[in-house]
Amino acid sequence: MKKVLLMTLLGIATSIMAQKPITLPLWAEGAPNTNGQQGNEQNMGEGRVANITDPSITVYKAENPNGTAIIMCPGGGYARLAMNHEGHDMASWFNSLGITYVVLKYRMPNGNHQIPLSDAEQAIRIVRKHASEWNIDLNKVGIMGASAGGHLASTLATHYSSKETRPDFQILLYPVITMDKSYTHGGSRLNLLGKEPSKELETLYSNELQVNSDTPQAFITLSSDDRAVPAANGVNYYLALVNHKVPVALHAYPTGGHGWGFRDNFIYKRQWTEELEKWIRAVIQP
């Protein structure tokens, strides 16, 4: 009996050890650009962090990997990051699907609009560099984001600079998409572009205007009653993808507001996660 118990405990310990996340710096030899921020990272409570000077990825490897990897960009209005409910809290669920899940801790623009995208591109480079080691299919690496993190994810999907940094798919939760001040998220626009951006810069980061036939396929979900980021952001991006014949799924729920992430108090959590699982199995892992 004692031997059985010991073996059971050992098995549990081994499983826990196997799922221990790995954290890697994005720029081990120093970033090629700067936003001017210095000092220590600020813990704002409830899993939120700001003043990120050492960007990184945290990798949760699945026990039984199926080759798919998802890089998650938490939201926070390009001022901070909600690292838990829009980041780490989803790891176990994705791992249970055989997916290697990666949480990106990216730098804020702080006056340099190129900073977040450069961090996202570096994250996907690192994941593909370790593809063999982490049992990842080079053609099944996707980007995911919530709120302003959804803007970053859709920016990578529409502004990638090379085949190496092009995501194979995108998953967007209640995303900021546009920089059109009539229906954007004001804080995200201000923090990314500044107080008086040029029309050219506004257009460049209005990602619904940057879609083309090579834009990666997408899964979009949002709440119709979102007062922080109007549903038109996700809907117009969906329509742009449809118009360019890019495969896309859109799931809109009548209530829920903004920022639900992986929280249990979002009454449609079971629905959106089930729909995402079905989409991944049908589209990404047919």
Side-chain angles (χ1 to χ4, degrees):
M1 183 67 181
K2 289 184 179 179
K3 184 177 181 181
V4 172
L5 178 60
L6 179 61
M7 292 301 293
T8 301
L9 292 173
L10 181 60
I12 293 172
T14 301
S15 177
I16 293 172
M17 287 293 289
Q19 298 176 39
K20 185 176 180 181
I22 302 167
T23 298
L24 299 174
L26 273 188
W27 305 101
E29 298 180 5
N33 49 20
T34 181
N35 59 7
Q37 290 187 319
Q38 298 178 344
N40 297 326
E41 181 175 296
Q42 297 173 2
N43 184 340
M44 305 179 70
E46 298 182 346
R48 297 177 302 155
V49 296
N51 198 52
I52 296 145
T53 54
D54 295 311
S56 63
I57 57 171
T58 300
V59 183
Y60 294 86
K61 295 189 290 183
E63 187 173 353
N64 298 299
N66 58 25
T68 301
I70 291 174
I71 302 169
M72 179 61 179
C73 307
Y78 282 126
R80 65 197 69 81
L81 296 180
M83 294 298 297
N84 288 349
H85 73 285
E86 293 180 349
H88 298 294
D89 291 351
M90 302 186 198
S92 293
W93 181 72
F94 277 115
N95 282 173
S96 74
L97 303 180
I99 295 169
T100 297
Y101 180 68
V102 181
V103 180
L104 171 60
K105 183 189 285 186
Y106 57 95
R107 293 171 295 161
M108 301 298 97
N110 196 45
N112 185 343
H113 60 85
Q114 298 176 340
I115 292 290
L117 178 58
S118 68
D119 283 0
E121 286 207 287
Q122 181 67 355
I124 202 167
R125 287 189 197 100
I126 293 173
V127 170
R128 285 197 165 119
K129 178 181 178 182
H130 290 272
S132 178
E133 176 187 350
W134 296 342
N135 296 302
I136 294 169
D137 186 328
L138 287 171
N139 299 311
K140 292 184 178 180
V141 180
I143 193 74
M144 180 175 179
S147 192
H151 185 268
L152 177 55
S154 63
T155 300
L156 179 63
T158 53
H159 294 69
Y160 58 87
S161 62
S162 66
K163 182 179 179 180
E164 181 188 21
T165 60
R166 180 190 183 275
D168 296 299
F169 58 91
Q170 51 184 318
I171 300 168
L172 309 176
L173 310 184
Y174 42 88
V176 178
I177 293 292
T178 194
M179 289 292 115
D180 182 333
K181 61 183 178 182
S182 67
Y183 70 104
T184 188
H185 176 250
S188 296
R189 183 181 191 272
L190 175 64
N191 291 325
L192 182 65
L193 304 185
K195 291 183 178 180
E196 297 181 3
S198 66
K199 184 62 178 179
E200 291 74 17
L201 197 60
E202 179 184 290
T203 299
L204 178 66
Y205 284 102
S206 291
N207 294 331
E208 77 281 9
L209 303 178
Q210 305 304 323
V211 172
N212 60 43
S213 60
D214 291 324
T215 301
Q217 57 194 327
F219 177 98
I220 306 168
T221 185
L222 51 84
S223 296
S224 300
D225 66 346
D226 193 331
R227 298 290 178 261
V229 178
N233 280 259
V235 171
N236 287 344
Y237 192 61
Y238 164 81
L239 292 173
L241 291 164
V242 169
N243 289 338
H244 285 85
K245 296 180 172 55
V246 176
V248 56
L250 173 64
H251 296 275
Y253 300 102
T255 60
H258 186 76
W260 26 266
F262 207 62
R263 287 173 171 156
D264 291 333
N265 62 1
F266 179 47
I267 64 172
Y268 296 102
K269 178 180 180 180
R270 180 174 59 83
Q271 282 80 2
W272 85 260
T273 52
E274 286 182 353
E275 291 296 344
L276 178 56
E277 180 179 352
K278 286 190 288 186
W279 181 80
I280 290 172
R281 293 189 188 282
V283 177
I284 310 304
Q285 302 165 350

